[in-house]
Amino acid sequence: MRNDRRNFLTSAASFAVSYGVLTCLGIAPEKKSTRVILLGTKGGPRVGESGRSNPSTLILIDDVPYVIDCGYGTSRQLVTAGVPINKVRYIFITHHHSDHNLEYGALFYNAWATGLPMRVDAYGPTGLEKMTQDFFSYMKFDIDTRIEDEGRPDLRKLVFAHDFNAAGVVMQNDDVKVTSCLVRHPPIKQAYAYRFDARDRSVVISGDTTYAPSLAEFAKGADVLVHEVMYPPAIEALLKRVPNAARLREHLLASHTVPEDVGKIAAQAGVKTLVLSHFVPGDDPSITDEQWTEGVRKYFKGRIIVGKDLMEI
Ligand SMILES: [Zn+2]
Ligand SMILES: [Zn+2]
């Protein structure tokens, strides 16, 4: 608990303060070259009132930011976490629901506006390359104007999108190997989990999925599994607030994971730490941490963290 609180960054400033306090007390904060920071933990495209931002996860490997999913608010959350946007080097999209890609173009645009000095490589299921070109069309007037008027480099020559349509190795450099696994998120067929194997830690991000046994195999022995979760008792309350309740209920039950199944996946995978994120519903403050974890604990006996925005793991 203490560790979680210590790692809960409400701002870069508070991080600096807590770092200083802990250092004064002779308790040096754990230094890891691979750090995981939850940027947004609210599942779904609605902009919530609870304080949870839409989905995005940051992995920092030797201070290089790898952003997984770009829900609305990702750029702001990066700034709040103390990560300069123009340092973003790699972007990964798990699937093309808008809570995972709405700020994709805006993120590399914001990096450029902040002084993007080098290329960005983006990876995702088929459609990402076209989406990138479409974003350039959408922003053509502004991009052309700023190149001419402000002497900026051409953003279109700095962003490289890479589509893939099957599981396997997504990218590899000296610091990390990134692989993907097909998960189950109907009606979307191309929905993936990502695994980051860095020198010191292995981190798996489930993306959006219902119970997927292949994910347990994929996450085998990982240090950290960040898994989405849905709490069925609260779904009915959520559905009362929307006009498309019947269809939405059907979608949610078929394409997301209940706590008991999250516990089974984590146990089968034998991960050290399970982090719950992408909460559905993610804007119902009446659901306690205990309620989120109760079903998970029936199957998984390891460390469980109920994710919060800007928490570092
Ligand atoms: Zn989602
Ligand atoms: Zn989704």
mmCIF file of all heavy atoms in Angstrom, residues 9-51:
data_model
loop_
_atom_site.group_PDB
_atom_site.id
_atom_site.type_symbol
_atom_site.label_atom_id
_atom_site.label_comp_id
_atom_site.label_asym_id
_atom_site.label_seq_id
_atom_site.Cartn_x
_atom_site.Cartn_y
_atom_site.Cartn_z
ATOM 1 N N LEU A 9 1.642 9.374 -8.645
ATOM 2 C CA LEU A 9 2.122 10.708 -8.985
ATOM 3 C C LEU A 9 0.954 11.588 -9.347
ATOM 4 O O LEU A 9 0.281 11.349 -10.335
ATOM 5 C CB LEU A 9 3.060 10.637 -10.187
ATOM 6 C CG LEU A 9 4.159 9.587 -10.138
ATOM 7 C CD1 LEU A 9 5.038 9.728 -11.363
ATOM 8 C CD2 LEU A 9 4.989 9.722 -8.892
ATOM 9 N N THR A 10 0.665 12.582 -8.547
ATOM 10 C CA THR A 10 -0.400 13.497 -8.929
ATOM 11 C C THR A 10 0.161 14.580 -9.835
ATOM 12 O O THR A 10 -0.553 15.217 -10.572
ATOM 13 C CB THR A 10 -1.040 14.155 -7.698
ATOM 14 O OG1 THR A 10 -0.005 14.673 -6.891
ATOM 15 C CG2 THR A 10 -1.859 13.153 -6.924
ATOM 16 N N SER A 11 1.445 14.801 -9.778
ATOM 17 C CA SER A 11 2.065 15.739 -10.710
ATOM 18 C C SER A 11 3.563 15.527 -10.653
ATOM 19 O O SER A 11 4.076 14.875 -9.764
ATOM 20 C CB SER A 11 1.749 17.177 -10.301
ATOM 21 O OG SER A 11 2.459 17.483 -9.130
ATOM 22 N N ALA A 12 4.237 16.092 -11.641
ATOM 23 C CA ALA A 12 5.699 15.978 -11.646
ATOM 24 C C ALA A 12 6.256 16.639 -10.398
ATOM 25 O O ALA A 12 7.227 16.181 -9.798
ATOM 26 C CB ALA A 12 6.258 16.646 -12.889
ATOM 27 N N ALA A 13 5.595 17.718 -9.970
ATOM 28 C CA ALA A 13 6.072 18.465 -8.808
ATOM 29 C C ALA A 13 5.988 17.607 -7.552
ATOM 30 O O ALA A 13 6.932 17.524 -6.771
ATOM 31 C CB ALA A 13 5.256 19.729 -8.635
ATOM 32 N N SER A 14 4.850 16.932 -7.368
ATOM 33 C CA SER A 14 4.704 16.125 -6.159
ATOM 34 C C SER A 14 5.690 14.968 -6.179
ATOM 35 O O SER A 14 6.178 14.535 -5.154
ATOM 36 C CB SER A 14 3.272 15.622 -5.998
ATOM 37 O OG SER A 14 3.038 14.560 -6.875
ATOM 38 N N PHE A 15 5.997 14.484 -7.387
ATOM 39 C CA PHE A 15 6.990 13.425 -7.503
ATOM 40 C C PHE A 15 8.338 13.945 -7.006
ATOM 41 O O PHE A 15 9.011 13.307 -6.214
ATOM 42 C CB PHE A 15 7.106 12.963 -8.961
ATOM 43 C CG PHE A 15 8.206 11.970 -9.183
ATOM 44 C CD1 PHE A 15 8.149 10.713 -8.602
ATOM 45 C CD2 PHE A 15 9.312 12.291 -9.960
ATOM 46 C CE1 PHE A 15 9.154 9.788 -8.794
ATOM 47 C CE2 PHE A 15 10.322 11.369 -10.160
ATOM 48 C CZ PHE A 15 10.240 10.116 -9.574
ATOM 49 N N ALA A 16 8.663 15.164 -7.468
ATOM 50 C CA ALA A 16 9.937 15.755 -7.070
ATOM 51 C C ALA A 16 9.982 15.925 -5.555
ATOM 52 O O ALA A 16 10.977 15.609 -4.906
ATOM 53 C CB ALA A 16 10.128 17.095 -7.769
ATOM 54 N N VAL A 17 8.860 16.385 -4.971
ATOM 55 C CA VAL A 17 8.809 16.600 -3.526
ATOM 56 C C VAL A 17 8.948 15.271 -2.793
ATOM 57 O O VAL A 17 9.763 15.117 -1.891
ATOM 58 C CB VAL A 17 7.481 17.302 -3.127
ATOM 59 C CG1 VAL A 17 7.316 17.289 -1.621
ATOM 60 C CG2 VAL A 17 7.479 18.729 -3.651
ATOM 61 N N SER A 18 8.145 14.257 -3.211
ATOM 62 C CA SER A 18 8.193 12.991 -2.492
ATOM 63 C C SER A 18 9.567 12.339 -2.648
ATOM 64 O O SER A 18 10.081 11.737 -1.726
ATOM 65 C CB SER A 18 7.085 12.050 -2.971
ATOM 66 O OG SER A 18 7.258 11.772 -4.339
ATOM 67 N N TYR A 19 10.160 12.501 -3.816
ATOM 68 C CA TYR A 19 11.497 11.954 -4.050
ATOM 69 C C TYR A 19 12.460 12.583 -3.044
ATOM 70 O O TYR A 19 13.222 11.915 -2.378
ATOM 71 C CB TYR A 19 11.937 12.267 -5.481
ATOM 72 C CG TYR A 19 13.230 11.599 -5.882
ATOM 73 C CD1 TYR A 19 13.209 10.409 -6.595
ATOM 74 C CD2 TYR A 19 14.464 12.145 -5.550
ATOM 75 C CE1 TYR A 19 14.371 9.780 -6.970
ATOM 76 C CE2 TYR A 19 15.640 11.525 -5.913
ATOM 77 C CZ TYR A 19 15.598 10.341 -6.632
ATOM 78 O OH TYR A 19 16.763 9.722 -6.989
ATOM 79 N N GLY A 20 12.340 13.926 -2.925
ATOM 80 C CA GLY A 20 13.220 14.644 -2.001
ATOM 81 C C GLY A 20 13.017 14.201 -0.573
ATOM 82 O O GLY A 20 13.976 13.919 0.150
ATOM 83 N N VAL A 21 11.734 14.088 -0.152
ATOM 84 C CA VAL A 21 11.422 13.686 1.219
ATOM 85 C C VAL A 21 11.955 12.291 1.499
ATOM 86 O O VAL A 21 12.604 12.041 2.505
ATOM 87 C CB VAL A 21 9.883 13.731 1.448
ATOM 88 C CG1 VAL A 21 9.528 13.067 2.767
ATOM 89 C CG2 VAL A 21 9.391 15.168 1.420
ATOM 90 N N LEU A 22 11.710 11.384 0.566
ATOM 91 C CA LEU A 22 12.148 10.007 0.766
ATOM 92 C C LEU A 22 13.667 9.905 0.827
ATOM 93 O O LEU A 22 14.213 9.168 1.631
ATOM 94 C CB LEU A 22 11.610 9.119 -0.371
ATOM 95 C CG LEU A 22 10.097 8.888 -0.322
ATOM 96 C CD1 LEU A 22 9.597 8.341 -1.652
ATOM 97 C CD2 LEU A 22 9.740 7.929 0.800
ATOM 98 N N THR A 23 14.314 10.711 -0.009
ATOM 99 C CA THR A 23 15.777 10.694 -0.004
ATOM 100 C C THR A 23 16.296 11.204 1.335
ATOM 101 O O THR A 23 17.218 10.634 1.914
ATOM 102 C CB THR A 23 16.311 11.557 -1.165
ATOM 103 O OG1 THR A 23 15.701 11.095 -2.362
ATOM 104 C CG2 THR A 23 17.810 11.417 -1.313
ATOM 105 N N CYS A 24 15.650 12.287 1.874
ATOM 106 C CA CYS A 24 16.040 12.833 3.179
ATOM 107 C C CYS A 24 15.885 11.786 4.272
ATOM 108 O O CYS A 24 16.649 11.720 5.217
ATOM 109 C CB CYS A 24 15.192 14.051 3.538
ATOM 110 S SG CYS A 24 15.632 15.479 2.566
ATOM 111 N N LEU A 25 14.841 10.961 4.140
ATOM 112 C CA LEU A 25 14.584 9.939 5.157
ATOM 113 C C LEU A 25 15.502 8.734 4.976
ATOM 114 O O LEU A 25 15.423 7.763 5.710
ATOM 115 C CB LEU A 25 13.117 9.465 5.058
ATOM 116 C CG LEU A 25 12.066 10.502 5.450
ATOM 117 C CD1 LEU A 25 10.672 9.986 5.128
ATOM 118 C CD2 LEU A 25 12.160 10.833 6.934
ATOM 119 N N GLY A 26 16.330 8.798 3.965
ATOM 120 C CA GLY A 26 17.248 7.695 3.714
ATOM 121 C C GLY A 26 16.587 6.542 2.980
ATOM 122 O O GLY A 26 17.101 5.433 2.929
ATOM 123 N N ILE A 27 15.360 6.782 2.436
ATOM 124 C CA ILE A 27 14.677 5.722 1.690
ATOM 125 C C ILE A 27 14.747 6.098 0.214
ATOM 126 O O ILE A 27 13.966 6.897 -0.270
ATOM 127 C CB ILE A 27 13.198 5.612 2.104
ATOM 128 C CG1 ILE A 27 13.072 5.511 3.631
ATOM 129 C CG2 ILE A 27 12.521 4.434 1.425
ATOM 130 C CD1 ILE A 27 11.675 5.761 4.146
ATOM 131 N N ALA A 28 15.718 5.570 -0.464
ATOM 132 C CA ALA A 28 15.844 5.916 -1.884
ATOM 133 C C ALA A 28 14.732 5.243 -2.664
ATOM 134 O O ALA A 28 14.520 4.046 -2.509
ATOM 135 C CB ALA A 28 17.203 5.454 -2.408
ATOM 136 N N PRO A 29 13.980 5.998 -3.481
ATOM 137 C CA PRO A 29 12.946 5.359 -4.290
ATOM 138 C C PRO A 29 13.584 4.318 -5.202
ATOM 139 O O PRO A 29 14.698 4.501 -5.677
ATOM 140 C CB PRO A 29 12.371 6.509 -5.125
ATOM 141 C CG PRO A 29 12.811 7.746 -4.440
ATOM 142 C CD PRO A 29 14.101 7.416 -3.751
ATOM 143 N N GLU A 30 12.838 3.244 -5.390
ATOM 144 C CA GLU A 30 13.330 2.169 -6.237
ATOM 145 C C GLU A 30 13.647 2.722 -7.623
ATOM 146 O O GLU A 30 12.822 3.405 -8.215
ATOM 147 C CB GLU A 30 12.215 1.140 -6.391
ATOM 148 C CG GLU A 30 12.638 -0.269 -6.102
ATOM 149 C CD GLU A 30 11.420 -1.177 -6.222
ATOM 150 O OE1 GLU A 30 10.407 -0.871 -5.587
ATOM 151 O OE2 GLU A 30 11.516 -2.125 -6.985
ATOM 152 N N LYS A 31 14.811 2.425 -8.135
ATOM 153 C CA LYS A 31 15.142 2.901 -9.481
ATOM 154 C C LYS A 31 15.053 1.736 -10.439
ATOM 155 O O LYS A 31 15.751 0.751 -10.290
ATOM 156 C CB LYS A 31 16.542 3.495 -9.483
ATOM 157 C CG LYS A 31 16.563 4.883 -8.885
ATOM 158 C CD LYS A 31 17.758 5.675 -9.404
ATOM 159 C CE LYS A 31 17.739 7.066 -8.790
ATOM 160 N NZ LYS A 31 19.012 7.419 -8.202
ATOM 161 N N LYS A 32 14.178 1.861 -11.410
ATOM 162 C CA LYS A 32 14.056 0.800 -12.412
ATOM 163 C C LYS A 32 14.309 1.443 -13.747
ATOM 164 O O LYS A 32 13.892 2.553 -14.010
ATOM 165 C CB LYS A 32 12.636 0.241 -12.413
ATOM 166 C CG LYS A 32 12.173 -0.312 -11.098
ATOM 167 C CD LYS A 32 10.803 -0.947 -11.294
ATOM 168 C CE LYS A 32 10.168 -1.338 -9.982
ATOM 169 N NZ LYS A 32 9.368 -0.262 -9.402
ATOM 170 N N SER A 33 14.991 0.725 -14.616
ATOM 171 C CA SER A 33 15.176 1.341 -15.921
ATOM 172 C C SER A 33 13.914 1.188 -16.752
ATOM 173 O O SER A 33 13.680 1.919 -17.684
ATOM 174 C CB SER A 33 16.398 0.771 -16.623
ATOM 175 O OG SER A 33 16.228 -0.599 -16.812
ATOM 176 N N THR A 34 13.057 0.204 -16.412
ATOM 177 C CA THR A 34 11.769 0.090 -17.087
ATOM 178 C C THR A 34 10.665 0.468 -16.109
ATOM 179 O O THR A 34 10.482 -0.184 -15.091
ATOM 180 C CB THR A 34 11.549 -1.344 -17.605
ATOM 181 O OG1 THR A 34 12.580 -1.650 -18.544
ATOM 182 C CG2 THR A 34 10.202 -1.478 -18.297
ATOM 183 N N ARG A 35 9.970 1.545 -16.439
ATOM 184 C CA ARG A 35 8.913 2.057 -15.549
ATOM 185 C C ARG A 35 7.576 2.007 -16.277
ATOM 186 O O ARG A 35 7.516 2.230 -17.481
ATOM 187 C CB ARG A 35 9.215 3.505 -15.168
ATOM 188 C CG ARG A 35 10.574 3.701 -14.506
ATOM 189 C CD ARG A 35 10.956 5.179 -14.499
ATOM 190 N NE ARG A 35 9.988 5.993 -13.781
ATOM 191 C CZ ARG A 35 9.891 7.328 -13.920
ATOM 192 N NH1 ARG A 35 10.704 7.974 -14.724
ATOM 193 N NH2 ARG A 35 8.983 8.011 -13.240
ATOM 194 N N VAL A 36 6.528 1.719 -15.541
ATOM 195 C CA VAL A 36 5.179 1.688 -16.119
ATOM 196 C C VAL A 36 4.347 2.758 -15.423
ATOM 197 O O VAL A 36 4.291 2.796 -14.190
ATOM 198 C CB VAL A 36 4.519 0.305 -15.914
ATOM 199 C CG1 VAL A 36 3.121 0.282 -16.542
ATOM 200 C CG2 VAL A 36 5.386 -0.805 -16.490
ATOM 201 N N ILE A 37 3.733 3.633 -16.196
ATOM 202 C CA ILE A 37 2.872 4.669 -15.618
ATOM 203 C C ILE A 37 1.511 4.607 -16.321
ATOM 204 O O ILE A 37 1.440 4.630 -17.556
ATOM 205 C CB ILE A 37 3.496 6.075 -15.773
ATOM 206 C CG1 ILE A 37 4.828 6.152 -14.998
ATOM 207 C CG2 ILE A 37 2.536 7.165 -15.261
ATOM 208 C CD1 ILE A 37 5.583 7.458 -15.153
ATOM 209 N N LEU A 38 0.466 4.499 -15.537
ATOM 210 C CA LEU A 38 -0.884 4.458 -16.109
ATOM 211 C C LEU A 38 -1.304 5.895 -16.402
ATOM 212 O O LEU A 38 -1.407 6.711 -15.488
ATOM 213 C CB LEU A 38 -1.859 3.817 -15.119
ATOM 214 C CG LEU A 38 -1.462 2.437 -14.589
ATOM 215 C CD1 LEU A 38 -2.482 1.958 -13.556
ATOM 216 C CD2 LEU A 38 -1.333 1.429 -15.719
ATOM 217 N N LEU A 39 -1.520 6.205 -17.667
ATOM 218 C CA LEU A 39 -1.894 7.585 -18.014
ATOM 219 C C LEU A 39 -3.409 7.762 -17.946
ATOM 220 O O LEU A 39 -3.904 8.797 -17.510
ATOM 221 C CB LEU A 39 -1.386 7.937 -19.416
ATOM 222 C CG LEU A 39 0.131 7.956 -19.588
ATOM 223 C CD1 LEU A 39 0.495 8.275 -21.028
ATOM 224 C CD2 LEU A 39 0.793 8.950 -18.643
ATOM 225 N N GLY A 40 -4.145 6.741 -18.409
ATOM 226 C CA GLY A 40 -5.603 6.820 -18.376
ATOM 227 C C GLY A 40 -6.171 5.438 -18.116
ATOM 228 O O GLY A 40 -5.757 4.471 -18.745
ATOM 229 N N THR A 41 -7.104 5.342 -17.180
ATOM 230 C CA THR A 41 -7.566 4.023 -16.732
ATOM 231 C C THR A 41 -9.070 3.813 -16.900
ATOM 232 O O THR A 41 -9.608 2.802 -16.467
ATOM 233 C CB THR A 41 -7.211 3.821 -15.241
ATOM 234 O OG1 THR A 41 -7.813 4.880 -14.474
ATOM 235 C CG2 THR A 41 -5.711 3.821 -15.012
ATOM 236 N N LYS A 42 -9.747 4.780 -17.519
ATOM 237 C CA LYS A 42 -11.197 4.652 -17.702
ATOM 238 C C LYS A 42 -11.506 4.015 -19.048
ATOM 239 O O LYS A 42 -11.176 4.581 -20.082
ATOM 240 C CB LYS A 42 -11.856 6.031 -17.642
ATOM 241 C CG LYS A 42 -13.348 5.993 -17.873
ATOM 242 C CD LYS A 42 -13.905 7.346 -18.270
ATOM 243 C CE LYS A 42 -15.313 7.203 -18.785
ATOM 244 N NZ LYS A 42 -15.392 6.392 -20.018
ATOM 245 N N GLY A 43 -12.128 2.848 -19.044
ATOM 246 C CA GLY A 43 -12.503 2.226 -20.304
ATOM 247 C C GLY A 43 -13.641 2.988 -20.952
ATOM 248 O O GLY A 43 -14.448 3.615 -20.280
ATOM 249 N N GLY A 44 -13.669 2.916 -22.297
ATOM 250 C CA GLY A 44 -14.781 3.518 -23.029
ATOM 251 C C GLY A 44 -14.493 4.937 -23.481
ATOM 252 O O GLY A 44 -13.610 5.610 -22.948
ATOM 253 N N PRO A 45 -15.250 5.376 -24.509
ATOM 254 C CA PRO A 45 -14.959 6.662 -25.143
ATOM 255 C C PRO A 45 -15.520 7.894 -24.442
ATOM 256 O O PRO A 45 -15.093 9.001 -24.733
ATOM 257 C CB PRO A 45 -15.608 6.507 -26.529
ATOM 258 C CG PRO A 45 -16.738 5.551 -26.303
ATOM 259 C CD PRO A 45 -16.293 4.617 -25.217
ATOM 260 N N ARG A 46 -16.509 7.688 -23.547
ATOM 261 C CA ARG A 46 -17.058 8.883 -22.899
ATOM 262 C C ARG A 46 -15.992 9.549 -22.048
ATOM 263 O O ARG A 46 -15.181 8.880 -21.404
ATOM 264 C CB ARG A 46 -18.246 8.518 -21.998
ATOM 265 C CG ARG A 46 -19.560 8.359 -22.760
ATOM 266 C CD ARG A 46 -20.702 7.978 -21.849
ATOM 267 N NE ARG A 46 -20.397 6.775 -21.089
ATOM 268 C CZ ARG A 46 -20.303 6.730 -19.764
ATOM 269 N NH1 ARG A 46 -20.512 7.810 -19.055
ATOM 270 N NH2 ARG A 46 -20.011 5.602 -19.156
ATOM 271 N N VAL A 47 -15.987 10.882 -22.036
ATOM 272 C CA VAL A 47 -15.084 11.614 -21.153
ATOM 273 C C VAL A 47 -15.770 11.636 -19.791
ATOM 274 O O VAL A 47 -16.843 12.215 -19.633
ATOM 275 C CB VAL A 47 -14.827 13.031 -21.682
ATOM 276 C CG1 VAL A 47 -13.977 13.826 -20.706
ATOM 277 C CG2 VAL A 47 -14.127 12.948 -23.043
ATOM 278 N N GLY A 48 -15.194 10.942 -18.838
ATOM 279 C CA GLY A 48 -15.857 10.743 -17.549
ATOM 280 C C GLY A 48 -15.714 11.917 -16.604
ATOM 281 O O GLY A 48 -14.928 12.832 -16.825
ATOM 282 N N GLU A 49 -16.491 11.833 -15.535
ATOM 283 C CA GLU A 49 -16.446 12.897 -14.531
ATOM 284 C C GLU A 49 -15.627 12.468 -13.323
ATOM 285 O O GLU A 49 -15.418 13.251 -12.410
ATOM 286 C CB GLU A 49 -17.875 13.210 -14.061
ATOM 287 C CG GLU A 49 -18.740 13.806 -15.167
ATOM 288 C CD GLU A 49 -20.220 13.774 -14.805
ATOM 289 O OE1 GLU A 49 -20.544 13.531 -13.633
ATOM 290 O OE2 GLU A 49 -21.032 13.986 -15.718
ATOM 291 N N SER A 50 -15.191 11.207 -13.316
ATOM 292 C CA SER A 50 -14.590 10.680 -12.090
ATOM 293 C C SER A 50 -13.151 11.103 -11.887
ATOM 294 O O SER A 50 -12.579 10.896 -10.842
ATOM 295 C CB SER A 50 -14.621 9.154 -12.132
ATOM 296 O OG SER A 50 -13.689 8.702 -13.102
ATOM 297 N N GLY A 51 -12.545 11.682 -12.881
ATOM 298 C CA GLY A 51 -11.120 11.993 -12.749
ATOM 299 C C GLY A 51 -10.264 10.982 -13.491
ATOM 300 O O GLY A 51 -9.085 11.218 -13.715
#
